[in-house]
Amino acid sequence: MIKFKTSFLIGTVLLAVISCSNTIFAQNKTAVKTNLPFTMPEVQIPKFKADTLSITDFGAIPNTEELCTTAINNAITKASQSGGGVVVIPAGLWTTGPIKMKSNVNLHTKNGAFISFTADLNQYQLIESYFEGNKVLRCESPIMGVDLENIAITGEGIFDGNGAAWRPVKIGKMTAGQWQELIQSGGVLSKDGKIWYPSEGAFIGNEEKSKLPKTPTAENMKPYKQALRPVMVSLVNCKKLLLDGVTFQNSPAWNVNPLLCEHVTLSNLTIRNPWYSQNGDGLDLESCRIGTVTNCRFDVGDDAICIKSGKDKEGRERGKPTEFFVITDCVVYHAHGGFTIGSEMSGGVKNIFAKNLTFNGTDCGLRFKSVRGRGGVVENIWMEDIRMNNIPTDAINFNLYYFEKAIKEDPQTGEVTVEKIPVSEETPAFKNMYFKNIYVNGAKQALKIMGIPEMPVQNLQFKNMIIRSDVGIQMNYAKNIDFQNIDLRLDKPGIAASISNSQNVNIESFKATGENQLFWAGGLATKAISVKTNGEKMTFDVVKLPESVKNQVKIME
């Protein structure tokens, strides 16, 4: 067959967004797409009194290294105690310690405002906090709020978390010259010389944990606090939350992390981290309910748009899923995953609708991950109008072996064989997920599903996909999978679609170019495979099925 390439015109649609001014908001609810596949509660947005306070009125001095922490927090406290209002950060360079949000306050940044969080770790106290789904002792976040209602951070300013003061760096993520410069700046190397830590305390806290206090407290963990990196924006158990227009960048760990929040509106944000930043996630929506993410831009060091709900037993016991979110009109540049669910999803994820997302150079496009031991159910997920360009790994990936040793795969077919274990509360489940209008201009692999035998990835529909990639479709331990109108354009010869140990797979209106074998199915558990093409005659000689599964495969013209 003749191999050809197609370039896609990638554009974005900008929706009308909420205006953030120094006046009371005119409305209390956001308008979301009306023809959603689930009943979406109306999203409440905060509204504020017109009262305005400037941080300069509380002693903040711009364009110096003098800390404005007290001035900013006093202004926020005054506004909240007075019934709410707007606290303005004017244009200028501002250096500060942790900013502590209060109810009924809109922290509004003017164009030209650059807020730099200090590298002086003495300004960040150790507190009981959260990280990666669990309650832990952690440093205060640069921006934080707990048990608040009616809050916002808006405007055109930039918040910089000074993440280089906190983060370890891996040798493989830098050039030789950058690595030498980093080493010469100080810090401590790991025993194998492949990881740089900013201090001895950070090194011990990460690599010699046996030396840490058996019962950690805020006092005895002070020497190791650089290992206890905070998320940059930590908002816990807050209701009616708005983040609009601002830039959050250079975070110590995760960047923006709403946890246990309700009525969340995130719009027009720019979220940035260096590509080499360890744990440099963009947005982590964790155990949150009812919200929208609209017209945001991501360029980060780990996953970009992340949906989570707690980790392992603690997440299951909390039992708070992330649910009822509409995510539209976003662009992701560098990230490990463009849109990700997991791996901390033990509390469940459901009723998520994502549309009009663009991934440009993102490591993996749509990424779904977990592992035995997590538990939790991910269900009722809709993805529409997704465009990807230059994806180094998989356009779509399901991996239920995250953190485990690599599963041995057949180099030709991608087939794996895994021992089945009993289903328990620790068994993760991914089901009822729908993918429509997926366009990929270059990826290493089109689709890879690595399910587990006791709980296959099930009830997935892929409709209207045009994907140019090196490798086509590989499925392991999947059930009730429906493909409709699929066009694969392979840049390297191989099998267009491989199915292993899967059941009830329907492939309709399927075509490929560049392959040297259209179809393969194998595995003792494979049953009920149906393949229907666009009038092209196929025989078992062409698709080369093993004898063991021929009676399970039906080919229809």
Side-chain angles (χ1 to χ4, degrees):
M1 295 183 180
I2 299 174
K3 185 189 300 182
F4 62 92
K5 299 181 180 180
T6 302
S7 294
F8 302 110
L9 178 63
I10 298 178
T12 57
V13 179
L14 301 180
L15 299 180
V17 296
I18 304 165
S19 173
C20 296
S21 65
N22 294 346
T23 59
I24 299 175
F25 281 95
Q27 58 180 18
N28 191 34
K29 297 174 181 177
T30 59
V32 297
K33 185 179 173 68
T34 56
N35 57 337
L36 293 171
F38 53 85
T39 301
M40 176 73 178
E42 290 186 285
V43 185
Q44 300 175 14
I45 63 172
K47 58 182 179 180
F48 305 97
K49 291 173 61 177
D51 296 358
T52 301
L53 301 174
S54 173
I55 64 170
T56 56
D57 295 333
F58 291 79
I61 301 175
N63 309 318
T64 71
E65 294 184 2
E66 183 174 336
L67 292 180
C68 302
T69 314
T70 301
I72 294 173
N73 287 323
N74 283 349
I76 291 172
T77 299
K78 177 67 173 179
S80 180
Q81 291 176 347
S82 301
V86 179
V87 172
V88 174
I89 300 180
L93 301 177
W94 310 89
T95 304
T96 182
I99 293 175
K100 300 180 181 180
M101 295 295 296
K102 301 288 186 181
S103 293
N104 301 311
V105 174
N106 174 9
L107 182 62
H108 185 74
T109 60
K110 293 294 187 180
N111 189 356
F114 187 94
I115 301 95
S116 176
F117 290 95
T118 178
D120 178 9
L121 269 60
N122 292 321
Q123 302 300 316
Y124 304 89
Q125 303 305 308
L126 284 168
I127 61 171
E128 189 176 79
S129 185
Y130 295 86
F131 188 63
E132 293 187 338
N134 291 332
K135 187 174 288 188
V136 292
L137 191 68
R138 211 80 181 172
C139 287
E140 289 179 310
S141 291
I143 300 174
M144 56 193 298
V146 181
D147 299 332
L148 305 180
E149 185 167 349
N150 205 58
I151 59 172
I153 302 174
T154 64
E156 301 175 76
I158 298 173
F159 292 90
D160 188 293
N162 214 338
W166 299 87
R167 292 189 301 259
V169 180
K170 294 180 178 179
I171 188 173
K173 295 189 175 184
M174 298 197 124
T175 66
Q178 290 172 328
W179 182 250
Q180 288 303 314
E181 184 178 351
L182 185 64
I183 292 174
Q184 291 170 7
S185 70
V188 178
L189 287 179
S190 61
K191 291 180 180 179
D192 62 7
K194 294 182 178 180
I195 302 177
W196 174 89
Y197 293 97
S199 68
E200 180 74 16
F203 167 75
I204 293 174
N206 282 278
E207 296 212 359
E208 295 186 347
K209 294 184 179 181
S210 62
K211 294 182 178 180
L212 297 177
K214 301 301 181 184
T215 305
T217 66
E219 186 62 32
N220 64 28
M221 287 296 290
K222 278 183 180 179
Y224 316 104
K225 67 189 302 183
Q226 209 159 8
L228 304 177
R229 295 176 290 142
V231 301
M232 181 169 167
V233 182
S234 175
L235 298 167
V236 181
N237 198 36
C238 297
K239 186 175 182 180
K240 289 196 288 185
L241 161 66
L242 170 68
L243 305 179
D244 180 88
V246 299
T247 295
F248 297 110
Q249 67 179 33
N250 200 14
S251 58
W254 293 355
N255 203 316
V256 178
N257 180 208
L259 168 64
L260 294 166
C261 293
E262 291 191 5
H263 297 287
V264 178
T265 302
L266 310 178
S267 53
N268 312 308
L269 300 176
T270 298
I271 298 179
R272 304 172 62 240
N273 272 332
W275 75 272
Y276 55 82
S277 56
Q278 192 77 2
N279 308 112
D281 290 16
L283 167 65
D284 292 275
L285 289 167
E286 190 174 4
S287 295
C288 292
R289 296 185 71 249
I290 311 172
T292 60
V293 180
T294 308
N295 194 36
C296 295
R297 300 292 181 267
F298 300 85
D299 193 343
V300 296
D302 209 314
D303 292 330
I305 305 169
C306 316
I307 311 298
K308 300 178 181 290
S309 62
K311 183 176 179 180
D312 299 339
K313 183 179 179 181
E314 187 170 330
R316 294 193 301 271
E317 291 180 346
R318 190 167 69 199
K320 297 290 186 181
T322 292
E323 59 182 341
F324 300 118
F325 270 85
V326 176
I327 300 167
T328 58
D329 308 306
C330 294
V331 176
V332 178
Y333 298 97
H334 185 272
H336 288 182
F339 175 91
T340 301
I341 296 180
S343 68
E344 303 91 358
M345 38 63 71
S346 301
V349 176
K350 59 184 178 180
N351 295 328
I352 307 292
F353 180 83
K355 182 180 177 67
N356 197 31
L357 307 183
T358 299
F359 307 142
N360 186 21
T362 309
D363 289 350
C364 179
L366 303 175
R367 189 182 190 197
F368 308 95
K369 54 184 176 175
S370 189
V371 68
R372 287 165 167 165
R374 285 280 192 268
V377 178
V378 174
E379 61 183 340
N380 303 336
I381 311 296
W382 285 263
M383 313 289 300
E384 292 186 4
D385 301 328
I386 312 297
R387 297 165 300 278
M388 310 184 202
N389 182 63
N390 189 26
I391 304 300
T393 63
D394 304 334
I396 306 173
N397 177 276
F398 287 81
N399 181 7
L400 276 293
Y401 302 92
Y402 197 61
F403 292 125
E404 287 190 353
K405 290 182 179 180
I407 304 299
K408 187 176 181 180
E409 303 176 40
D410 184 285
Q412 299 298 318
T413 65
E415 181 181 15
V416 301
T417 302
V418 179
E419 183 180 357
K420 188 175 183 178
I421 65 174
V423 173
S424 71
E425 66 175 10
E426 297 183 354
T427 305
F430 285 72
K431 61 183 180 179
N432 305 335
M433 303 175 69
Y434 308 90
F435 302 82
K436 181 181 178 182
N437 303 336
I438 311 294
Y439 307 110
V440 181
N441 184 32
K444 183 176 180 180
Q445 182 155 7
L447 166 65
K448 187 168 187 176
I449 297 176
M450 298 283 283
I452 50 179
E454 65 271 17
M455 186 65 70
V457 176
Q458 59 186 300
N459 300 337
L460 307 187
Q461 182 185 82
F462 300 93
K463 186 175 183 180
N464 302 337
M465 301 201 314
I466 302 175
I467 300 180
R468 182 174 69 81
S469 60
D470 292 344
V471 181
I473 295 170
Q474 293 178 342
M475 296 184 354
N476 293 276
Y477 299 107
K479 182 178 180 181
N480 300 332
I481 312 297
D482 187 38
F483 292 95
Q484 297 181 31
N485 194 24
I486 309 301
D487 185 350
L488 292 182
R489 304 171 182 185
L490 302 187
D491 288 344
K492 294 183 179 180
I495 303 171
S498 299
I499 298 173
S500 174
N501 291 306
S502 299
Q503 304 88 42
N504 301 321
V505 178
N506 177 61
I507 301 175
E508 187 173 344
S509 298
F510 180 89
K511 67 178 181 178
T513 58
E515 85 292 352
N516 58 15
Q517 185 175 335
L518 185 65
F519 182 71
W520 179 90
L524 297 177
T526 291
K527 295 180 180 178
I529 311 298
S530 174
V531 182
K532 184 176 182 180
T533 63
N534 293 327
E536 296 181 12
K537 187 175 180 60
M538 286 198 305
T539 66
F540 284 124
D541 290 336
V542 175
V543 297
K544 300 178 182 178
L545 297 174
E547 290 292 334
S548 60
V549 300
K550 276 190 177 181
N551 63 343
Q552 295 295 334
V553 178
K554 181 185 293 185
I555 297 177
M556 299 176 291
E557 294 182 22

